[in-house]
């Protein structure tokens, strides 16, 4: 209805400016005819023509132009008003949509906040349960470490006595018959193996408890390695042990007892996995990055590629047949890796081109060299 009324109003505004000038012309023409012909009896003259031109043509034309401009102005105002009404309606609709969206958003936020609050409470409960479980595990681990340490210490003393007694009997029991001597040698071997296992368990317990004491100092490797190789060779008469030390080898900065444990584990594995009469080589050389490298090479079966990534894991032993035949508990290499790392070095394994494995580890070089220490002593 509003559009129809505006259409009718527009038709009127278009017709009125066209009719009004004609009506004004007719009115002026009639007035001038009455005035000059009927009242004054003058006839058609110049004054009458001028009056008709001015008031009957120019005046209505001016009025028509003014009305036309007025019409354009009114149309523009009407269009602006329509646009304003449309904008107002659009704003009202947009405002209503915003209010609806805001309400929906508040509902979603409230729902999500409730879910987050519930999730937070559940997470706090789980964290508390995990904290309690962690404390219990720590306590169990502490008790386990204390128990292992206690049992190991209690085992070490009698094992030392047994080992010393057996060695004493073997040394001075010249009149023993071969069967008794063989039995005592087996006892000595098994006692040494059990003592080594107890020592490894003690080291693992100290490592996991963070109680391993590292006391690094100046270590001259040539005499140290010579003593270890000589001792191991005496206990492995069926193997050939060879030591190669690079001339002018500098002093290492290491804990002598820990390095001794590392080398004992590596040499023990080399003897176990090398065939009877096999060669075992111990080498020491200086590296260019401030470290010395000590290597133990055997003639055993080597390390399969699938075992290299886990060879230093605790309790891990390869799946090969040789690993199943040779006695072991999977602790020696784990302990060796931890002891080397505690002194700032690294340990790794490589297979030999023909046969056997080469275990190498590094130790930091001390500031002083052997020559400097001897000069200081002089």
């Amino acid at each position: 209805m509003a559009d129809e009324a505006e259409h009718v109003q527009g038709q009127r505004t278009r017709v009125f400016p066209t009719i009004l000038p004609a009506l004004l012309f007719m009115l002026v023409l009639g007035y001038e005819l009455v005035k000059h012909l009927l009242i004054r009896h003058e006839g058609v003259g110049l004054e009458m023509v001028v009056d008709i031109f001015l008031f009957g043509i120019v005046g209505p034309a001016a009025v028509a132009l003014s009305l036309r401009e007025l019409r354009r102005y009114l149309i523009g105002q009407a269009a602006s008003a329509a646009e304003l009404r449309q904008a107002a309606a659009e704003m009202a609709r947009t405002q209503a949509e915003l209010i609806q969206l805001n309400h929906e958003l508040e509902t979603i936020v409230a729902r999500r906040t409730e879910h987050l609050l519930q999730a937070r409470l559940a997470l706090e409960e789980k964290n508390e349960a995990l904290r309690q479980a962690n404390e219990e595990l720590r306590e169990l681990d502490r008790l386990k470490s204390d128990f292992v340490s206690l049992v190991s210490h209690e085992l070490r003393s009698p094992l030392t006595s047994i080992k010393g007694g057996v060695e004493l009997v073997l040394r001075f029991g010249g009149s023993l018959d071969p069967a008794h001597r063989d039995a005592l040698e087996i006892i000595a071997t098994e006692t040494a193996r059990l003592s080594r296992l107890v020592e490894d368990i003690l080291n693992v317990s100290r490592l996991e408890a963070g109680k391993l004491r590292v006391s690094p100092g100046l270590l001259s490797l040539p005499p140290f390695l010579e003593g270890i190789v000589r001792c191991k060779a005496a206990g492995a008469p069926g193997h050939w042990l060879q030591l190669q030390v690079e001339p002018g080898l500098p002093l290492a900065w290491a804990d002598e007892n820990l390095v001794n444990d590392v080398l004992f584990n590596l040499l023990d594995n080399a003897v176990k996995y090398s065939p009877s009469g096999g060669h075992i080589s111990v080498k020491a050389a200086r590296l260019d990055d401030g470290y010395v490298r000590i290597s133990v090479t055997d003639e055993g079966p080597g390390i399969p590629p699938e075992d290299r990534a886990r060879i230093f894991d605790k309790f891990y032993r390869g799946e090969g047949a040789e690993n199943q035949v040779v006695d072991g508990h999977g602790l020696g290499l784990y302990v060796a890796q931890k002891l080397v790392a505690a002194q700032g070095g690294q340990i790794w394994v490589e297979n030999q081109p023909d046969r056997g494995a080469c275990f190498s580890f590094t130790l930091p070089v001390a500031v002083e060299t052997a020559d400097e220490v001897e000069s200081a002593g002089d």
Side-chain angles (χ1 to χ4, degrees):
M1 294 297 294
D3 293 340
E4 292 181 359
E6 290 180 358
H7 179 69
V8 173
Q9 184 67 24
Q11 292 291 336
R12 291 176 180 176
T13 56
R14 283 194 296 271
V15 172
F16 184 72
T18 304
I19 297 176
L20 182 60
L23 292 176
L24 290 176
F25 175 76
M26 296 298 294
L27 180 61
V28 171
L29 181 60
Y31 172 78
E32 291 296 332
L33 290 174
V34 171
K35 174 182 176 183
H36 289 280
L37 296 179
L38 297 179
I39 297 177
R40 295 184 179 180
H41 304 284
E42 295 178 349
V44 179
L46 180 61
E47 181 181 357
M48 177 180 174
V49 173
V50 173
D51 289 341
I52 291 173
F53 177 78
L54 290 177
F55 297 105
I57 296 176
V58 177
V63 171
L65 292 174
S66 299
L67 289 176
R68 183 174 296 176
E69 293 299 324
L70 178 61
R71 176 177 173 275
R72 291 179 180 175
Y73 173 76
L74 292 177
I75 291 174
Q77 292 296 318
S80 299
E83 292 177 356
L84 289 175
R85 287 195 301 271
Q86 185 178 1
E90 188 69 25
M91 289 180 61
R93 184 167 57 254
T94 304
Q95 185 177 6
E97 292 177 355
L98 288 175
I99 293 175
Q100 179 65 23
L101 290 174
N102 187 45
H103 177 70
E104 294 176 357
L105 182 60
E106 288 179 352
T107 304
I108 294 174
V109 170
R111 190 182 302 117
R112 294 291 177 84
T113 303
E114 181 65 22
H115 290 168
L116 288 175
L117 180 60
Q118 294 177 359
R120 178 185 174 186
L121 294 176
L123 183 60
E124 289 179 352
E125 292 178 358
K126 290 182 180 180
N127 287 338
E128 179 63 22
L130 288 174
R131 187 187 63 80
Q132 294 179 359
N134 190 35
E135 290 181 357
E136 293 176 359
L137 288 175
R138 287 182 178 178
E139 180 64 18
L140 290 174
D141 187 67
R142 186 188 65 80
L143 293 175
K144 183 253 316 180
S145 299
D146 292 343
F147 175 76
V148 170
S149 179
L150 176 63
V151 171
S152 300
H153 279 295
E154 292 298 325
L155 287 174
R156 188 161 56 173
S157 296
L159 283 175
T160 302
S161 301
I162 294 172
K163 182 180 179 181
V166 171
E167 291 177 351
L168 185 63
V169 173
L170 287 174
R171 180 179 300 177
F172 298 101
S175 60
L176 291 174
D177 58 79
H180 291 165
R181 178 172 291 278
D182 290 343
L184 288 174
E185 289 179 350
I186 292 174
I187 293 174
T189 301
E190 294 301 317
T191 302
R193 186 171 67 87
L194 187 57
S195 298
R196 187 70 249 166
L197 176 61
V198 170
E199 190 64 30
D200 286 340
I201 293 175
L202 279 173
N203 285 330
V204 171
S205 177
R206 296 189 190 104
L207 287 168
E208 294 181 346
K211 297 180 180 180
L212 179 67
R213 294 183 179 180
V214 182
S215 302
L218 298 177
L219 178 60
S220 179
L221 291 175
F224 172 73
L225 295 176
E226 185 178 352
I228 291 180
V229 170
R230 186 186 306 112
C231 179
K232 192 62 182 177
H239 296 79
W240 295 90
L241 274 73
Q242 182 182 9
L243 175 63
Q244 298 179 14
V245 178
E246 182 181 89
L249 192 68
L251 295 174
W253 184 254
D255 188 315
E256 181 176 347
N257 293 327
L258 300 186
V259 178
N260 181 80
D261 290 342
V262 172
L263 280 170
F264 187 92
N265 278 314
L266 297 182
L267 287 171
D268 189 50
N269 282 341
V271 171
K272 286 180 181 179
Y273 289 98
S274 293
S276 179
H279 286 74
I280 298 173
S281 175
V282 179
K283 299 180 180 179
R286 180 171 185 170
L287 301 178
D288 295 334
D289 54 358
Y291 287 87
V292 291
R293 181 183 65 194
I294 302 173
S295 302
V296 177
T297 305
D298 59 49
E299 294 182 346
I303 308 299
E306 62 272 15
D307 291 337
R308 292 182 191 175
R310 300 185 58 193
I311 194 68
F312 294 101
D313 291 352
K314 183 170 59 174
F315 298 123
Y316 180 78
R317 301 190 71 205
E319 300 296 334
E322 297 83 357
N323 294 326
Q324 306 305 320
V325 174
V326 178
D327 293 331
H329 304 278
L331 287 176
L333 292 179
Y334 169 78
V335 171
Q337 182 192 45
K338 297 299 182 181
L339 296 182
V340 170
Q343 300 176 86
Q346 294 181 340
I347 187 171
W348 67 94
V349 61
E350 298 171 321
N351 280 338
Q352 295 295 99
D354 46 1
R355 180 174 173 83
C358 177
F359 285 86
S360 302
F361 66 96
T362 58
L363 295 173
V365 171
V367 176
E368 297 88 348
T369 64
D371 294 338
E372 292 175 344
V373 173
E374 292 177 359
S375 299
D378 297 340

